[in-house]
Amino acid sequence: MLNRLFSEGFRVFFLAAGLYGVFTGLIWVLYLGGATAGPASSQAPVLWHAHEMIFGYATAAIGGFFLTAVPNWTGAPGARQGFIALAAGLWLAGRLAVWYAGLLPPVLVAALDLSFIPVLALKILTQLLKRPKPQNVMFLLFLSYIWAANLLVHLEWTGATSDTALAGLRGGLIAVTALISVLGGRVTPAFTRNAMKRAGVPEARWPHSAKPVERAALILALLLPILVMTGLPAQAIAPAAILFGLLQIARLARWGGAWCLNKPILLALHLGLAMLALGMLLWGLSGLGIGNELAGLHILGIGCVGGMTLAVMSRAALGHSGRPLVASAPMALGYGLMAAAALLRWAGTEIDSLYLPAMLATGGLWTAAFTLYLMAMWPALTGPRVTTAE
């Protein structure tokens, strides 16, 4: 099974993402409940929690996606087993270094944690050069944003700066959601259109996109992470975030989401982008003094990043292992639990009396969603490829 696990990028990284999703959720719930002191880190547990959701969990999902998708885009050979094992080892080394940061030199922690993205990006670059389309090469810029945001965190943690960690954490989250906006804008209408065609839906009802809306959304996706990482005040970023959220709503309105209500594997994609829209609106409004910033950030982190990665990983695992593109009942439930976790965390932020119960329940729902994902996707991630029924 070990050879198979490293045979394709989606297998080891999507499995690692699921396992790490369960681990981080359990640790957070146990810490909040007073059952554990948290990681052996020199930083507060809340900083470990925020850092690992972005630069631990999300980067595993991103790595698995690009190692699988880019060869399909370009016709380049997929990464070999040795490279996949090396990349997975670097990702794991970063997770262990951050966990044991209180026992290790800060510079070593930074070096280990910052090593994965450049190695991944270099491999993607070599594959993209086979067919270097600008719309694909652009994704290297988003990887650069994520790496730079992590660097800002480590610069403060090593003592090189005094006030860059929060900008790095916010910048990393916004960079990941901006990446989701671009990728989601490709796959969501395309997959929905394909399903409608197979179902015989008239072409007039197929998803379609408005070029001015798509262009504006792309510009803001490229711009927002930079605005956050340069430390601009929240009031200056707020209008761009609100506009970005409104553009996501305009996009979704054209993509036939209502038709997907009884098709969980498609609906999850639409729901993840709806959470992106809601999160951006809440985050932007908080910059104008309306609402709580944590509400928007957690809708983005849980609902958008958690929800969209679950949707994409499950679909890709099924498709690339030759299985039908149909979400099982446990997987569909996992999609719903992730969305419920995001909304519950929002409620806990807005209602003081619900804060701790909502935090605990959110962690429980997050953990349950990834447990269901692992149960449903285990055969696709670890088993042999089967003949597709689609």
Side-chain angles (χ1 to χ4, degrees), residues 152-167:
L152 288 176
V153 176
H154 283 290
L155 284 175
E156 181 171 333
W157 287 1
T158 58
T161 62
S162 60
D163 59 352
T164 58
L166 289 181

Side-chain angles (χ1 to χ4, degrees), residues 54-128:
I54 303 164
F55 304 111
Y57 166 74
T59 58
I62 290 169
F65 176 83
F66 280 127
L67 287 175
T68 305
V70 173
N72 288 338
W73 296 344
T74 63
R80 295 183 177 180
Q81 287 188 2
F83 175 84
I84 294 173
L86 170 64
L90 291 175
W91 176 85
L92 180 59
R95 311 291 52 80
L96 292 172
V98 174
W99 177 267
Y100 291 109
L103 309 176
L104 299 172
V107 173
L108 176 61
V109 174
L112 289 172
D113 189 37
L114 291 167
S115 63
F116 169 61
I117 291 290
V119 171
L120 174 67
L122 181 60
K123 169 56 70 175
I124 292 171
L125 175 61
T126 63
Q127 294 173 331
L128 288 173

Side-chain angles (χ1 to χ4, degrees), residues 152-329:
L152 288 176
V153 176
H154 283 290
L155 284 175
E156 181 171 333
W157 287 1
T158 58
T161 62
S162 60
D163 59 352
T164 58
L166 289 181
L169 291 172
R170 288 189 182 90
L173 176 59
I174 300 307
V176 172
T177 56
L179 173 60
I180 287 173
S181 172
V182 177
L183 281 174
R186 289 190 186 184
V187 303
T188 303
F191 292 161
T192 304
R193 184 183 304 112
N194 292 342
M196 286 182 168
K197 288 171 68 176
R198 290 193 297 269
V201 176
E203 186 172 350
R205 292 178 54 194
W206 293 355
H208 59 282
S209 299
K211 287 187 178 180
V213 172
E214 295 301 313
R215 190 176 297 114
L218 175 59
I219 291 171
L220 284 175
L222 293 169
L223 182 63
L224 268 173
I226 298 174
L227 296 180
V228 175
M229 285 188 284
T230 52
L232 286 179
Q235 300 94 316
I237 302 173
I242 293 171
L243 178 58
F244 195 41
L246 293 174
L247 288 169
Q248 303 306 321
I249 294 173
R251 301 169 89 199
L252 281 169
R254 295 171 169 268
W255 290 348
W259 185 82
C260 304
L261 289 177
N262 63 343
K263 300 169 183 64
I265 203 161
L266 286 174
L267 181 62
L269 296 169
H270 291 262
L271 187 57
L273 290 175
M275 289 290 181
L276 172 57
L278 176 61
M280 281 291 168
L281 289 174
L282 292 174
W283 179 54
L285 289 171
S286 71
L288 301 179
I290 304 170
N292 190 313
E293 182 189 28
L294 288 177
L297 293 178
H298 280 92
I299 290 289
L300 291 173
I302 301 170
C304 174
V305 177
M308 197 66 171
T309 51
L310 270 187
V312 172
M313 290 192 301
S314 56
R315 184 185 180 95
L318 292 172
H320 286 278
S321 64
R323 289 164 170 81
L325 297 177
V326 178
S328 64

